[in-house]
C-alpha cells in the first residue's frame, strides 16, 4: 500500500523539521545566529486518469482526472536573514552590524570565511581576531600602549597611542556582501563560506550604499523568536503523530485483509 | 455469488487509493501553498454475461472505481514569517508564475529566494516571473519590498511586478510535484489581487478532517472484508451441505 511509504516521507520530513527547530532553539543565545526553516515540497504525482481526455464521440471531456501524490520532501532550509537585536556589552572590541554585510575572516588554512559575530579580541601581537583567534580582514593591529579604542559606525578604527592627545587611525574594517546570502555554506563556529550559489563577495566600507553600519560595544543577538519556534515545534510534533496514525491505519487494513485467509 | 467478492474487491482497491490520497495530504500538512486533494468514486455497472433468460432478470453488478481527484483550492492559513522574500497571495484566486525547462508552471508557494545571479527564484531555484520576465536584483540592492498589488521594488527603485495567473476554472490545473501546477488552458489576468510580504500561505490540510476521513476508510474497509468473509463462509457451507452424500 502506497499510504505506508507516503506517511513515511511525511514522518521523515517532520523529523528534519524538528531538528531544524531544535538547532534554532539551541542557538537562541548565539551571537549573530540566523534562524533556519525547513521548506517542503510535494513529490511527483501519478496520473491514473488524465483530465481533458475525451470521454465520448460528442467531445465530452473528463473534468478532473485522478492524480495520486507520493509524499513530501524537504527542499531547502533557508535562513531568515533579518536583523537581530543589538545588545550592549560594554566591551570596546565588540561590533554589531546594522544592515547588510559580513565580517571577513581568514581561517588558519588560508581560506576566507564570513561572519556576523563581532565578538572580537586582540591576540598576543595586538591583532584583531575572532573568539577562535582567526584574523579579521583587513588585519588591524592595536599597539601595546594604545588606549581609548574607538570604532566609528563607518568602520574606522582609532586609538590614542601613548600620551598623545589626538587619536591615530589604525585601520578600516570592511564588510562583504553577497547577492544570495542564503547560498552561503555554514561551517559552524558562526562562520560561513562562499559558494557558487552565494555569488562572489563584494567588499565595501560600512555605511557605503548597500552596506550596513557598525555599532561598537554591541553584539548582534540571534534572530530566533522563541514563541515562533515553540509553536512550530508543537505543530511539527502533531504532524508527525498524524503521519504515524496513517501508518497504523494502513497496517490495520492490511491485517484485516490478511485475516481473510484464516 | 462470486460476484459479491469481486464487487467487494473493487471497493477495497478504491479505499486503499483513498487512504493513499489522505496520506499524501497529511504528509504535506506543512508544505507551503499545498492544496488538499480528495478522491471521488463512481459506480460502474457491468452487465452480466449470462442469466438474462430467467423470468426475473438478474440485476447488473455495480463496481466502484475512482472517478477523480478533486483539489480543494480554498485558501490556507497565512503565517507571518517576517522574512522579506516570503510572499503570500491573499484569497483563493491567483497563482505565481514560475519558469521551468518544461514551460510555465503555477504555484501558491511564496517561499522565494534570490540566486547567485540575483534572480527571484522559488525555494528549489526556478525563476519567478514578473510582468516583464524574470525579476533580477543587483548585488548592491537592499530593502526588497513587495507592494500589495505585486509591485516589486528595492533600494534601486522599481524592479517589476509579480505576474499573477488566474484560473476561473481550476479544473484545468494538475499537480506536478515540487509545489507546481501545470495548466491545460491559458491563464487569465486577475481583476483584483492582493499579495502580502513577510507572510507564507500554509497548506489548507486540516488534521482533524483527514484523520476522520482515514477512520472512515479504515472502518469501511473492515466492513467489506467482513462481507467477503461471510461470502466465503456461505460458499463453503453450501459446498459442504450440497456435496455431502448420505449413504
Amino acid at each position: 500500500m502506497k499510504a505506508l511509504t507516503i506517511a513515511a516521507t511525511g514522518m521523515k520530513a517532520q523529523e528534519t523539521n524538528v531538528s531544524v527547530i531544535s538547532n534554532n532553539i539551541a542557538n537562541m543565545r548565539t551571537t549573530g545566529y540566523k534562524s533556519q526553516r525547513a521548506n517542503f515540497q510535494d513529490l511527483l504525482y501519478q496520473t491514473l486518469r488524465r483530465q481533458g481526455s475525451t470521454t465520448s464521440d460528442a467531445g465530452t471531456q473528463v473534468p478532473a482526472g485522478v492524480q495520486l501524490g507520493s509524499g513530501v520532501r524537504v527542499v531547502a532550509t533557508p535562513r531568515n536573514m533579518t536583523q537581530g537585536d543589538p545588545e550592549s556589552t560594554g566591551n570596546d572590541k565588540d561590533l554589531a552590524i546594522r544592515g547588510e554585510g559580513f565580517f571577513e575572516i581568514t581561517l588558519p588554512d588560508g581560506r576566507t570565511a564570513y561572519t556576523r559575530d563581532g565578538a572580537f579580541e586582540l591576540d598576543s601581537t595586538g591583532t584583531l581576531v575572532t573568539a577562535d583567534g582567526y584574523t579579521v580582514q583587513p588585519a588591524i593591529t592595536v599597539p601595546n600602549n594604545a588606549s581609548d579604542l574607538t570604532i566609528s559606525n563607518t568602520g574606522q578604527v582609532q586609538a590614542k597611542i601613548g600620551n598623545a592627545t589626538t587619536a591615530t587611525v589604525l585601520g578600516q574594517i570592511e564588510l562583504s556582501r553577497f547577492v544570495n546570502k542564503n547560498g552561503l555554506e555554514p561551517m559552524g563556529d558562526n562562520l560561513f563560506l562562499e559558494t557558487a550559489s552565494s555569488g562572489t563577495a563584494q567588499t565595501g566600507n560600512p555605511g557605503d550604499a548597500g552596506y550596513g553600519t557598525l555599532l561598537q560595544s554591541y553584539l548582534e543577538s540571534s534572530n530566533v523568536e522563541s514563541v515562533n519556534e515553540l509553536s512550530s515545534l508543537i505543530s511539527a510534533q502533531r504532524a508527525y503523530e498524524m503521519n504515524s496514525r496513517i501508518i497504523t491505519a494502513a497496517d490495520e487494513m492490511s491485517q484485516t485483509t490478511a485475516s481473510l485467509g484464516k | 455469488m462470486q460476484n459479491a467478492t469481486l464487487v467487494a474487491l473493487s471497493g477495497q482497491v478504491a479505499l486503499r487509493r483513498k487512504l493513499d490520497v489522505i496520506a499524501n495530504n497529511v504528509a504535506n500538512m506543512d508544505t507551503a501553498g499545498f492544496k488538499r486533494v480528495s478522491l471521488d468514486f463512481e459506480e460502474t455497472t457491468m452487465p452480466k454475461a449470462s442469466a438474462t433468460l430467467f423470468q426475473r432478470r438478474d440485476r447488473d453488478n455495480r463496481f466502484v472505481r475512482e472517478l477523480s481527484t478533486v483539489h480543494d483550492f480554498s485558501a490556507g492559513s497565512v503565517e507571518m514569517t517576517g522574512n522579506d522574500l516570503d510572499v503570500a497571495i491573499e484569497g483563493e484566486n491567483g497563482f505565481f508564475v514560475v519558469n521551468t525547462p518544461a514551460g510555465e508552471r503555477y504555484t501558491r508557494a511564496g517561499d522565494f529566494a534570490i540566486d547567485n545571479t540575483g534572480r527571484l527564484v522559488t525555494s528549489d531555484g526556478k525563476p519567478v516571473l514578473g510582468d516583464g520576465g524574470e525579476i533580477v536584483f543587483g548585488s548592491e540592492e537592499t530593502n526588497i519590498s513587495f507592494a500589495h498589488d505585486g509591485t516589486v521594488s528595492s533600494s534601486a527603485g522599481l524592479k517589476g511586478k509579480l505576474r499573477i495567473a488566474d484560473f476561473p476554472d481550476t479544473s484545468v490545473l494538475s499537480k506536478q510535484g515540487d509545489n507546481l501546477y501545470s495548466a491545460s488552458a491559458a491563464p487569465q489576468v486577475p481583476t483584483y489581487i492582493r499579495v502580502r510580504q513577510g507572510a507564507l500561505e500554509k497548506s489548507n490540510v486540516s488534521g482533524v478532517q483527514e484523520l476522520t476521513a482515514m477512520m472512515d476508510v479504515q472502518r469501511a474497509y473492515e466492513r467489506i472484508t467482513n462481507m467477503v468473509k461471510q461470502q466465503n463462509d456461505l460458499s463453503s457451507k453450501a459446498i459442504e451441505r450440497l456435496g455431502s452424500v448420505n449413504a
Side-chain angles (χ1 to χ4, degrees):
Chain A
M1 213 177 321
K2 235 173 124 182
L4 277 173
T5 52
I6 295 172
T9 67
M11 287 176 81
K12 261 171 82 177
Q14 291 304 338
E15 258 177 51
T16 315
N17 197 8
V18 169
S19 45
V20 169
I21 295 167
S22 56
N23 191 45
N24 284 342
I25 293 176
N27 284 294
M28 243 168 84
R29 297 289 306 155
T30 305
T31 310
Y33 179 81
K34 301 293 174 198
S35 66
Q36 272 183 299
R37 171 182 82 195
N39 279 356
F40 300 111
Q41 278 189 347
D42 49 357
L43 292 173
L44 275 181
Y45 283 78
Q46 182 194 0
T47 305
L48 299 183
R49 189 168 188 235
R50 187 167 290 285
Q51 67 247 63
S53 43
T54 314
T55 49
S56 72
D57 287 344
T60 50
Q61 288 182 343
V62 176
V66 180
Q67 290 184 299
L68 294 183
S70 41
V72 68
R73 69 176 174 137
V74 176
V75 66
T77 52
R79 276 169 202 277
N80 184 0
M81 285 293 186
T82 54
Q83 176 79 40
D85 293 331
E87 206 176 278
S88 169
T89 62
N91 184 339
D92 59 3
K93 290 177 277 305
D94 282 345
L95 290 175
I97 304 172
R98 283 180 303 178
E100 292 284 323
F102 291 83
F103 296 113
E104 197 183 316
I105 310 290
T106 305
L107 299 179
D109 58 7
R111 284 184 303 169
T112 305
Y114 301 89
T115 186
R116 292 278 294 186
D117 174 7
F120 299 139
E121 297 293 339
L122 297 182
D123 69 359
S124 57
T125 60
T127 311
L128 198 65
V129 294
T130 66
D132 288 321
Y134 306 155
T135 319
V136 180
Q137 286 300 328
I140 289 160
T141 310
V142 181
N144 248 338
N145 54 353
S147 60
D148 294 345
L149 184 74
T150 314
I151 300 166
S152 72
N153 57 8
T154 53
Q156 200 175 56
V157 186
Q158 291 176 313
K160 274 192 209 167
I161 312 275
N163 293 327
T165 48
T166 51
T168 313
V169 177
L170 297 175
Q172 168 74 42
I173 290 178
E174 290 177 352
L175 293 180
S176 300
R177 55 170 297 172
F178 299 88
V179 179
N180 175 21
K181 293 171 284 191
N182 269 315
L184 289 169
E185 181 193 337
M187 59 170 292
D189 301 339
N190 294 352
L191 299 174
F192 293 94
L193 293 175
E194 183 184 305
T195 65
S197 81
S198 68
T200 49
Q202 287 143 15
T203 314
N205 288 340
D208 286 359
Y211 292 86
T213 54
L214 297 185
L215 203 56
Q216 190 185 13
S217 300
Y218 278 86
L219 284 178
E220 183 185 8
S221 48
S222 82
N223 66 352
V224 177
E225 299 274 0
S226 49
V227 182
N228 286 357
E229 298 302 328
L230 284 184
S231 65
S232 330
L233 185 65
I234 293 169
S235 71
Q237 200 183 347
R238 292 288 164 259
Y240 189 83
E241 276 174 25
M242 281 179 197
N243 278 300
S244 75
R245 287 285 297 123
I246 298 277
I247 292 193
T248 320
D251 180 37
E252 280 172 13
M253 274 164 68
S254 300
Q255 254 173 32
T256 332
T257 315
S259 73
L260 260 184
K262 282 178 194 162
Chain B
M1 195 161 60
Q2 290 310 313
N3 284 327
T5 320
L6 292 178
V7 171
L9 182 68
S10 80
Q12 283 184 319
V13 169
L15 284 170
R16 276 165 172 257
R17 289 257 159 80
K18 191 155 191 169
L19 187 70
D20 292 347
V21 170
I22 295 169
N24 193 47
N25 286 341
V26 173
N28 284 292
M29 250 171 87
D30 270 346
T31 305
F34 181 82
K35 301 293 170 195
R36 67 176 288 271
V37 176
S38 58
L39 186 61
D40 278 359
F41 295 138
E42 81 177 336
E43 195 182 27
T44 335
T45 39
M46 284 285 182
K48 289 181 70 169
S50 57
T52 45
L53 299 170
F54 295 110
Q55 209 167 21
R56 285 177 61 190
R57 211 176 140 224
D58 278 4
R59 276 200 292 170
D60 290 339
N61 277 324
R62 287 168 200 276
F63 293 90
V64 184
R65 72 181 185 124
E66 48 291 301
L67 173 67
S68 61
T69 42
V70 181
H71 304 292
D72 171 4
F73 279 103
S74 64
S77 61
V78 170
E79 188 189 50
M80 302 306 290
T81 62
N83 199 335
D84 280 352
L85 293 176
D86 286 341
V87 189
I89 301 176
E90 288 184 10
E92 56 185 70
N93 297 325
F95 291 83
F96 298 113
V97 185
V98 175
N99 202 8
T100 72
E104 277 178 12
R105 293 289 180 266
Y106 309 94
T107 186
R108 289 282 293 190
D111 46 351
F112 299 143
I114 290 177
D115 72 358
N116 59 345
T117 55
R119 291 184 304 181
L120 187 72
V121 293
T122 61
S123 56
D124 60 347
K126 300 188 180 82
V128 179
L129 294 182
D131 278 343
E134 292 173 0
I135 296 169
V136 186
F137 298 102
S139 54
E140 301 283 300
E141 291 171 27
T142 50
N143 294 333
I144 293 168
S145 91
F146 295 87
H148 284 316
D149 64 346
T151 311
V152 190
S153 55
S154 77
S155 55
L158 201 64
K159 304 305 288 185
K161 190 176 175 191
L162 283 173
R163 213 179 117 200
I164 307 286
D166 191 23
F167 295 93
D169 174 18
T170 47
S171 71
V172 300
L173 294 167
S174 62
K175 291 200 179 203
Q176 291 285 295
D178 300 344
N179 294 354
L180 300 176
Y181 291 89
S182 63
S184 55
Q188 297 183 5
V189 177
T191 46
Y192 173 76
I193 205 73
R194 207 175 146 82
V195 303
R196 186 182 281 271
Q197 186 180 20
L200 202 56
E201 184 186 5
K202 308 291 284 180
S203 81
N204 65 352
V205 176
S206 130
V208 185
Q209 206 179 347
E210 297 303 326
L211 283 196
T212 331
M214 180 197 84
M215 284 191 253
D216 270 352
V217 168
Q218 213 179 340
R219 298 292 161 251
Y221 194 87
E222 274 167 25
R223 281 197 297 275
I224 295 181
T225 316
N226 279 336
M227 201 186 81
V228 174
K229 228 178 217 166
Q230 282 162 7
Q231 277 298 323
N232 263 343
D233 290 351
L234 218 61
S235 320
S236 61
K237 255 183 210 156
I239 294 166
E240 231 169 75
R241 292 263 179 88
L242 297 173
S244 66
V245 184
N246 291 326

